[in-house]
Amino acid sequence: MDDIIEAGFQKLTEKIQEKEKEREKLSEEVRKNDAELLARMAALTAPIIGKIGLNMLYKGKQDSKGELYDTAFHPNKMIVLGKTEPVKFRPDDISKPVSDQFCVLSEDGAFYELMYTSDQFGVDSYLNPLTPAEAIQVYGYEVMFMLYRAMRDYLKGQED
């Protein structure tokens, strides 16, 4: 009886190891194609970003209470897909520290890092272009999940 249990247990552990190897192989295959998948998702989403996206602040001045006035917005609407710890300085002007940094998808179908610099006088931003692979590398798979979720929420809203 112990031999039967032991043989069954051995077979079970072998199956687990086989499935683990198969999972690793499939995971690697998914990782190889993740940027291509994200690019396709972006292309399919781009036409509706004009409806579901946000007007993101380009620049504005701050009054003594911190309220913004004389604001200007980026011409294309965007959806926010992720946030990360900001880099120290903006690529367009190293004298400007980055206070907030987001991954966005614009209605032109392109990914960007939206970098905000703020001081006591105002806020301005810089759009740093990203490839889909760079978006995943910097922001992780959260960008894929958030893009999927934005589409799912849009569909649900359409159904309602």
Side-chain angles (χ1 to χ4, degrees), residues 131-156:
T131 65
E134 290 168 333
I136 292 170
Q137 182 181 20
V138 174
Y139 295 89
Y141 287 108
E142 178 182 336
V143 294
M144 238 181 232
F145 173 75
M146 293 303 290
L147 186 52
Y148 167 80
R149 187 152 186 187
M151 291 298 288
R152 187 194 72 185
D153 291 350
Y154 175 72
L155 176 62
K156 186 175 180 185

Side-chain angles (χ1 to χ4, degrees), residues 8-154:
F9 186 74
Q10 181 65 33
K11 198 70 160 163
L12 179 63
T13 56
E14 288 171 10
K15 282 279 190 195
I16 290 171
Q17 289 171 351
E18 286 174 22
K19 292 294 181 188
E20 188 66 29
K21 287 178 186 174
E22 184 179 331
R23 189 181 80 175
E24 287 175 23
K25 180 182 168 193
L26 292 174
S27 294
E28 182 59 34
E29 192 173 325
V30 168
R31 280 191 292 273
K32 279 190 227 175
N33 297 310
D34 58 4
E36 185 180 332
L37 173 60
L38 184 59
R40 287 180 182 178
M41 291 171 69
L44 292 170
T45 306
I48 65 161
I49 292 176
K51 296 175 190 169
I52 66 172
L54 303 170
N55 291 313
M56 301 301 284
L57 181 69
Y58 172 64
K59 66 180 179 177
K61 296 177 183 173
Q62 284 183 312
D63 64 18
S64 60
K65 296 177 185 174
E67 298 293 321
L68 292 174
Y69 66 97
D70 285 343
T71 55
F73 296 88
H74 288 281
N76 289 336
K77 288 189 175 185
M78 302 173 203
I79 55 175
V80 178
L81 301 176
K83 183 176 181 178
T84 190
E85 195 64 35
V87 295
K88 296 216 182 279
F89 303 101
R90 289 184 3 195
D92 66 323
D93 185 346
I94 60 169
S95 70
K96 293 183 175 183
V98 177
S99 52
D100 287 302
Q101 183 174 329
F102 303 92
C103 180
V104 296
L105 177 62
S106 175
E107 65 184 301
D108 64 5
F111 290 95
Y112 297 95
E113 283 183 299
L114 180 56
M115 300 174 165
Y116 284 106
T117 299
S118 60
D119 58 27
Q120 62 194 29
F121 304 110
V123 176
D124 75 328
S125 66
Y126 172 69
L127 278 179
N128 187 35
L130 290 175
T131 65
E134 290 168 333
I136 292 170
Q137 182 181 20
V138 174
Y139 295 89
Y141 287 108
E142 178 182 336
V143 294
M144 238 181 232
F145 173 75
M146 293 303 290
L147 186 52
Y148 167 80
R149 187 152 186 187
M151 291 298 288
R152 187 194 72 185
D153 291 350
Y154 175 72

